[in-house]
């Protein structure tokens, strides 16, 4: 496993409401704890109506193996993330639902991470919506800021690997020169699955999708 630099690395996750961001980060944090990678979470979800399902609330219900801290106001998110990142470790930053009104908090996260994971359910409608993130990246460049290296994570994927929309979405993104992670997160609705996992100890057995996501992100952030 590639060693992380002394100052560690920061990985953010963005995506529309309900795309599985907090679920992914809770599992990946638990996975890193299980394999001995020092990691912490920073919850930059705006406190509010969706608070019940936030990464911070999850970590208050059960020990996920790594501490989660509430992000400060936007101007201090970067310095706080750097301060909290364990030596040779990772800081995983969770964000609230991306929508057209997304503002300072999302921009503050984007400006302070080494890698951005864009959680995207593979449907034409979601692809359409992804455009608003790409416009935000253009806006950053217009301000002289460098958007973070971004990789797409296909989430809530139909478990049938031959489902056309998953392959088509991947092919479309790759054709547009975007990087799509090999790992996909299946939509699971059964008992004991991701759908019911909020507030429970994340199941991160080796080889599971979330464990593979953790491994792939480690490779991506250290390459
Ligand atoms: N892979 C999955 N399969 C099925 N259900 C899932 C999966 N991932 C998450 N869910 C469920 O979907 C809902 C939204 O998940 P989650 O809270 O992780 O999304 P989010 O992107 O963090 O949402 P928000 O933008 O509101 O913070 C939850 O009820 C969760 O249990
Ligand atoms: Mg969330």
């Amino acid at each position: 496993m590639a060693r992380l630099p002394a100052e560690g690395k920061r990985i953010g996750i963005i995506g529309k409401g309900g795309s599985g961001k907090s679920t992914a980060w809770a599992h990946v944090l638990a996975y890193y704890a299980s394999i001995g990678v020092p990691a912490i979470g920073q919850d930059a979800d705006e406190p509010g109506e969706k608070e019940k399902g936030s990464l911070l609330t999850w970590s208050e219900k059960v020990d996920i193996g790594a501490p989660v801290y509430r992000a400060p106001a936007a101007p201090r998110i970067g310095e706080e993330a750097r301060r909290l990142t364990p030596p040779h470790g990772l800081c995983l930053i969770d964000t609230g639902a991306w929508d057209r009104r997304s503002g300072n908090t999302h921009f503050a996260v984007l400006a302070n991470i080494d890698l951005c994971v864009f959680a995207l359910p593979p449907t034409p409608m979601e692809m359409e919506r992804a455009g608003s993130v790409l416009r935000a990246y253009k806006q950053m460049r217009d301000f002289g800021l460098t958007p973070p290296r971004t990789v797409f994570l296909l989430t809530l994927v139909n478990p049938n690997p031959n489902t056309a929309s998953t392959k088509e979405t991947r092919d479309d993104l790759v054709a547009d020169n975007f990087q799509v992670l090999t790992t996909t997160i299946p939509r699971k609705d059964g008992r004991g699955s991701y759908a019911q996992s909020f507030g429970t100890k994340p199941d991160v057995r080796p080889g599971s999708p979330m464990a593979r996501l953790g491994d792939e992100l480690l490779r991506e952030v250290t390459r």
Side-chain angles (χ1 to χ4, degrees), residues 10-14 25 91-94 109 113 115-118:
R10 281 146 295 278
I11 310 179
I13 191 162
I14 61 169
W25 264 191
C91 168
L92 301 188
I93 308 181
D94 191 23
V109 171
I113 49 181
L115 181 69
C116 181
V117 176
F118 190 154

Side-chain angles (χ1 to χ4, degrees), residues 113-136:
I113 49 181
D114 301 290
L115 181 69
C116 181
V117 176
F118 190 154
L120 184 81
T123 68
M125 201 175 96
E126 299 306 335
M127 284 286 273
E128 195 86 7
R129 292 210 210 156
S132 109
V133 174
L134 303 177
R135 280 192 291 282

Side-chain angles (χ1 to χ4, degrees), residues 22 45 53 94-95:
S22 302
D45 200 342
D94 191 23
T95 65

Side-chain angles (χ1 to χ4, degrees), residues 17-23 45 50 97 156 185-188 194-195:
S19 54
K21 301 179 292 296
S22 302
T23 303
D45 200 342
K50 299 202 199 74
L156 300 171
I185 305 298
R187 175 187 293 281
K188 287 196 194 167
Y194 300 133

Side-chain angles (χ1 to χ4, degrees), residues 11-151:
I11 310 179
I13 191 162
I14 61 169
K16 69 138 194 177
S19 54
K21 301 179 292 296
S22 302
T23 303
W25 264 191
H27 282 77
V28 172
L29 279 173
Y31 176 65
Y32 289 153
S34 77
I35 62 169
V37 172
I40 64 116
Q42 192 190 45
D43 187 348
D45 200 342
E46 316 273 357
E49 54 318 348
K50 299 202 199 74
E51 190 66 352
K52 190 168 68 66
S54 76
L55 182 62
L56 185 66
T57 318
W58 193 326
S59 74
E60 286 165 353
K61 282 181 176 282
V62 69
D63 178 10
I64 58 177
V68 175
Y69 303 94
R70 186 189 297 287
R76 293 192 44 244
I77 282 181
E79 75 175 82
E80 185 74 344
R82 286 185 289 277
R83 189 178 74 78
L84 292 170
T85 307
H88 302 283
L90 289 170
C91 168
L92 301 188
I93 308 181
D94 191 23
T95 65
W98 185 287
D99 63 27
R100 277 168 293 121
R101 295 165 302 137
S102 289
N104 296 351
T105 303
H106 284 93
F107 279 89
V109 171
L110 291 174
N112 284 288
I113 49 181
D114 301 290
L115 181 69
C116 181
V117 176
F118 190 154
L120 184 81
T123 68
M125 201 175 96
E126 299 306 335
M127 284 286 273
E128 195 86 7
R129 292 210 210 156
S132 109
V133 174
L134 303 177
R135 280 192 291 282
Y137 279 25
K138 179 177 181 306
Q139 218 176 332
M140 284 181 80
R141 289 194 199 89
D142 292 346
F143 284 118
L145 299 168
T146 311
R149 186 158 82 84
T150 298
V151 293

